[in-house]
Amino acid sequence: MNSVVRLVALGVGAYFLFLLATFPATFVSAALEERSADLSLNGVSGTVFSGQAAQVVYQDLDLGTLHWQLRPSRLLLGRLEYRLQLDNPANAGHLTAGRTLTGRTYISDMDLEVLPGRLVNHYSPFPLNSSGTMRLVFETLSPGDDYSGEVAGRVIWRDAAILEPVSLVLGKLKMAVSTRDGQLVGQFTDSGDFGVSGEVALSPINEYRVDLLLRPRSAIDADIEVVLEQFSQRQANGDYRIDLSGQF
């Protein structure tokens, strides 16, 4: 009897893999777009098992070409998991995304190179233009809709600079990212040419909080000093504290 059960299970598993290998990807992409108004997949080809989208747009950001490959071994653990590859001059890299039997969606093993305009300029609460290169390295990135999920990673901004509304060279910035008390939190520790420390936080309803301390490592230009004094409070020891909050 046990042999029969095993054979039936293997047969069912093989049939399921066959369906995944031949099921058109367009059916799934249409369902994903219905569930997320911010997501658009264009030029979809291939199957649910392996395929690509010629263009992925999320929250008005063109992320370029997306390739996916199912990881069949994860089905044995009750997970539907994919390896994803993004190919775009402005954002390139890979990540793993999946869904458990309980309906929990997760992202892990992310390593992306991103131009800062993809994040800083696009999501800034005030007009901003920046330059440099960002690397997003996350072991886990599954915050959930209420930001109570697990997030563990870091953002490294090399050659960081603000171009507008003021020219400001920041150097190399490092930020550890996690969730805390229902917020997505990024924490700086003595980073960059301005010795940036402190944290920025974002809530599920786009409420933001900025609490940073700038400790310039060298003398700064008079023009930059004027701008800093507009957005920060000068401390007795010469540091600058930025304390902002609001919603966008």
Side-chain angles (χ1 to χ4, degrees), residues 8-73:
V8 171
L10 287 173
V12 171
Y15 180 66
F16 181 65
L17 287 176
F18 173 77
L19 288 178
L20 286 176
T22 58
F23 198 73
T26 50
F27 286 94
V28 177
S29 63
L32 290 174
E33 289 176 332
E34 286 183 3
R35 294 185 59 181
S36 176
D38 294 329
L39 178 66
S40 177
L41 301 171
N42 303 313
V44 176
S45 61
T47 67
V48 174
F49 191 92
S50 177
Q52 72 171 25
Q55 182 191 47
V56 178
V57 179
Y58 181 71
Q59 293 186 350
D60 297 326
L61 285 176
D62 184 352
L63 302 179
T65 303
L66 172 68
H67 301 267
W68 64 82
Q69 183 73 42
L70 180 70
R71 306 185 74 183
S73 62

Side-chain angles (χ1 to χ4, degrees), residues 113-147:
E113 288 278 353
V114 183
L115 292 182
R118 293 306 207 191
L119 297 175
V120 179
N121 306 358
H122 189 76
Y123 293 106
S124 173
F126 44 83
L128 190 68
N129 190 15
S130 59
S131 67
T133 304
M134 279 187 173
R135 186 181 179 196
L136 283 63
V137 182
F138 283 83
E139 293 77 26
T140 303
L141 181 59
S142 307
D145 294 336
D146 58 355
Y147 287 177

Side-chain angles (χ1 to χ4, degrees), residues 88-200:
N88 187 300
N91 48 254
H94 60 78
L95 64 146
T96 296
R99 191 176 181 87
T100 66
L101 287 176
T102 60
R104 181 179 66 87
T105 301
Y106 61 90
I107 294 175
S108 63
D109 191 23
M110 172 191 285
D111 194 339
L112 296 177
E113 288 278 353
V114 183
L115 292 182
R118 293 306 207 191
L119 297 175
V120 179
N121 306 358
H122 189 76
Y123 293 106
S124 173
F126 44 83
L128 190 68
N129 190 15
S130 59
S131 67
T133 304
M134 279 187 173
R135 186 181 179 196
L136 283 63
V137 182
F138 283 83
E139 293 77 26
T140 303
L141 181 59
S142 307
D145 294 336
D146 58 355
Y147 287 177
S148 63
E150 184 179 0
V151 174
R154 59 194 182 279
V155 177
I156 304 166
W157 187 359
R158 296 187 297 271
D159 300 322
I162 304 299
L163 304 179
E164 293 177 337
V166 63
S167 178
L168 188 62
V169 177
L170 300 172
K172 184 178 181 180
L173 298 179
K174 297 180 181 179
M175 179 175 66
V177 184
S178 61
T179 51
R180 186 176 70 232
D181 299 329
Q183 292 184 319
L184 189 64
V185 179
Q187 189 165 31
F188 295 91
T189 305
D190 194 24
S191 186
D193 296 344
F194 272 74
V196 182
S197 61
E199 62 183 37
V200 294

